[in-house]
Amino acid sequence: MKIITDPSFFHSYPGKFGFVPTMGALHEGHISLIHEAKRECDQVVVSIFVNPTQFAPHEDFNRYPRPIERDQEMAEAAGVDVLFLPSVESVYPLGVDAARIHIEGVSDLWEGELRPGHFDGVATVVARLLLIVCPKTTYFGQKDIQQTIIVNRMCYSLGLPGRIKVCPTVRESDGLALSSRNIYLSSKERQMAPLIYNCSEESKKMILDHRLEKASVLLEGSRMKLAQFCSLDYFELVSLDDMRPLERYEKESVLIVAARFEAVRLLDNILI
Ligand code: AMP
């Protein structure tokens, strides 16, 4: 496995790679994306870059986990060909505030409303990385569904290189979606956290059984159950196309959840 920090490395290989952008602290969710990339592409690039522009000043940029040696070992074991570890200066040569991409509409809902500017940082770094790596295909997790919708819209609007593939969420055996931030859950919170997924599945079943009724009413029972052990930022049925809230089930719907615990917020979603 080559370890690269200089973006100019990619000038000689345009369009060849499967690409998995990450912020590191790799887990089986990331590895599943790498495996999919390996299945479809000759060579796989993984980037590890904790992107400062997607964190607000009060957020966890400084304490975001950075176990770089372990990440290198996991990437090597997963068969990654190129591990790209760019510096902030090489991603943002004129400084982090020099240019921002804003995708209208979807960026201001849900996570975007609670974390103003977050998706502008995400869109900007993804665009920058795609222009550096010039991949054949870039792999994202359904776990961050709003991010995937924004990235798809951005790539389509701006004609960025390669195609985007969204891969299923990898979960622990009890249903908790894997996340680099799960390590911040206390043991009691860790025990309760799978309820996020279980309640989502329960709601999905109810929505599918009562298609014509108001989804918002059907979700109330799950909201109350979850609110007993965490603070819910949202638990909503939305359109998979543009994430607008839905009164009732439509063909392409997704149930999205954000739950706050003492030291961490967890995101999850299931397609309906
Ligand atoms: P991150 O390092 O958190 O920025 O995530 C890098 C990529 O891995 C993103 O496309 C995420 O959606 C994806 N990812 C994170 N967690 C999971 C998971 N549990 N299952 C599948 N993909 C995931």
Side-chain angles (χ1 to χ4, degrees):
M1 180 176 79
K2 287 193 176 71
I3 298 181
I4 301 295
T5 55
D6 181 358
S8 68
F9 167 83
F10 295 99
H11 292 171
S12 350
Y13 301 95
K16 279 199 163 227
F17 293 111
F19 179 38
V20 181
T22 82
M23 297 208 299
L26 300 182
H27 52 63
E28 289 304 317
H30 300 115
I31 302 299
S32 72
L33 302 183
I34 295 169
H35 286 161
E36 187 59 12
K38 282 198 72 75
R39 216 174 54 77
E40 294 189 339
C41 309
D42 295 340
Q43 301 248 31
V44 174
V45 178
V46 170
S47 64
I48 296 182
F49 181 65
V50 185
N51 173 36
T53 66
Q54 69 190 68
F55 291 80
H58 64 279
E59 291 181 348
D60 59 348
F61 176 70
N62 285 325
R63 71 173 191 130
Y64 196 85
R66 291 169 172 84
I68 189 63
E69 280 172 21
R70 185 171 166 274
D71 282 352
Q72 282 182 24
E73 284 164 20
M74 283 182 74
E76 177 109 56
V80 170
D81 300 284
V82 177
L83 186 62
F84 180 38
L85 308 175
S87 64
V88 173
E89 292 71 29
S90 64
V91 173
Y92 298 110
L94 294 183
V96 292
D97 296 322
R100 282 288 159 101
I101 295 177
H102 178 73
I103 301 304
E104 281 297 329
V106 196
S107 298
D108 299 320
L109 299 170
W110 314 114
E111 280 309 280
E113 189 179 356
L114 291 161
R115 303 178 67 188
H118 168 68
F119 285 122
D120 296 356
V122 170
T124 306
V125 79
V126 171
R128 185 70 187 113
L129 290 170
L130 292 187
L131 290 168
I132 292 172
V133 177
C134 256
K136 190 173 119 199
T137 305
T138 306
Y139 298 83
F140 290 91
Q142 186 203 312
K143 160 83 169 46
D144 299 288
I145 191 128
Q146 192 168 1
Q147 169 171 289
T148 66
I149 293 171
I150 288 165
V151 166
N152 261 317
R153 287 185 162 229
M154 172 177 72
C155 289
Y156 194 49
S157 317
L158 302 181
L160 292 176
R163 75 176 176 128
I164 300 297
K165 179 154 187 185
V166 179
C167 303
T169 301
V170 176
R171 300 177 180 282
E172 303 280 6
S173 54
D174 58 12
L176 176 64
L178 297 190
S179 161
S180 304
R181 291 183 169 105
N182 287 353
I183 52 168
Y184 297 125
L185 291 167
S186 70
S187 59
K188 190 155 172 243
E189 289 171 340
R190 174 63 190 82
Q191 272 178 5
M192 307 302 279
L195 270 178
I196 294 172
Y197 176 65
N198 297 336
C199 286
S200 302
E201 283 291 345
E202 239 171 68
S203 295
K204 172 176 176 170
K205 190 169 177 313
M206 272 195 293
I207 288 168
L208 290 176
D209 286 351
H210 302 80
R211 282 173 193 213
L212 297 177
E213 287 184 32
K214 282 194 161 187
S216 51
V217 175
L218 293 172
L219 297 179
E220 208 41 49
S222 288
R223 284 199 192 102
M224 280 164 66
K225 213 183 218 178
L226 287 169
Q228 289 171 10
F229 70 95
C230 62
S231 305
L232 270 189
D233 281 337
Y234 51 79
F235 186 84
E236 294 289 341
L237 185 70
V238 304
S239 152
L240 187 55
D241 176 45
D242 58 7
M243 298 212 82
R244 80 199 133 78
L246 295 175
E247 278 297 311
R248 61 180 60 172
Y249 164 79
E250 286 177 13
K251 215 164 66 191
E252 304 242 288
S253 309
V254 56
L255 184 59
I256 54 168
V257 194
R260 255 180 299 126
F261 292 84
E262 183 74 25
V264 63
R265 279 177 84 238
L266 300 184
L267 302 188
D268 204 347
N269 68 82
I270 55 172
L271 300 176
I272 299 203

